[in-house]
Amino acid sequence: MSLLEIRDYRLAFDTFDGTLHVLDGIDLSLGAGETLGIVGETGCGKSVLARSLLRLNESPPARVTSGTILFEGKDVLALPEAGMRRLRGRRIAMVFQDPASYLNPLLAIGTQMEDAIRGQEAALGGAVRPRRAIRAEAAGLLASVGLAEPQRLLASHPHQLSGGMRQRVLIAMALAGSPTLLVADEPTTALDVTVQAQVLALIAGLVAEKGLALMLISHDLGVVTASCARVAVMYAGTVVEEAPTASLLSHPLHPYAQGLIAAVPDLDNPAHKPRGIPGTIPNLLAPPGGCRFHPRCSRASDICRSTKPVLRELAPDHRVACHHAETP
């Protein structure tokens, strides 16, 4: 049994202009200890999907219209709020993409970390530990993510830390509940390439050391390639291709995945000229019928305009949602 199973998951946002069909029939799975990258253009629904695992999209205007999210065999969408409090952080932890937005600028790092640890313990209904023990655990978590002088950092405020240090603090807070699944939503956004590499190496090391399953969300194919064994490509709220990373890079089958890879500069081949994908992402207030990519696709035919393709396996562990995927 997979650790995480997402089946036919659909999510909409009700706005003054109409209903935004943000996620449209997501099908994904993730096993214990596996690493899955999710890539796609900005606005394709990657972050919304990640937040859905913790039911952070349930308040209006968002609403689930169909589907199931099974984690360790339990339907996340059917859990009561008390059950979700035990799940969030303890079993599924999330690292958000902008630490400056998720760390309170008015509170010291130590206060925020202690609150996170106490919150996890309170969700389980255990005895409250002395503050000294909780602070020692917070310092240990900071040290585990490679931050020097953790006692000094506990007394610091977010503005006194660099972007990379703040991101490491968020990772440390995510590890406070000893989760089984770590969801990292654009964890290297706004970091320079050196710090980005350090944060990715840190995440990879923690995943290997603790046996975590990882869902890494990024619009950067290079980031996902360096960190994940499997990749799912999203477009306009749907998964259009899913495959082992090496297979996707060497032999993408969906026209959109082919376009993403063709748009990446090849530094080893100066003659290679990156090519953009014509057109723009669709308006999700009135998404195209059939395949959502067909208005931008050179292979589109009548069936693409009328019938939504389903994810089907065309090679070992390689699934694609395209009516013409076999076409050379």
Side-chain angles (χ1 to χ4, degrees), residues 36 71 113 158 283 299:
L36 172 68
F71 181 75
M113 292 200 66
N283 182 352
R299 299 185 197 173

Side-chain angles (χ1 to χ4, degrees), residues 255 289-309 322-325 327:
C291 174
R292 288 190 171 187
F293 186 64
H294 84 254
R296 305 173 69 181
C297 183
S298 60
R299 299 185 197 173
S301 64
D302 288 343
I303 191 173
C304 303
R305 299 178 185 93
S306 62
T307 305
K308 179 184 176 181
C322 178
H323 294 298
H324 304 298
T327 304

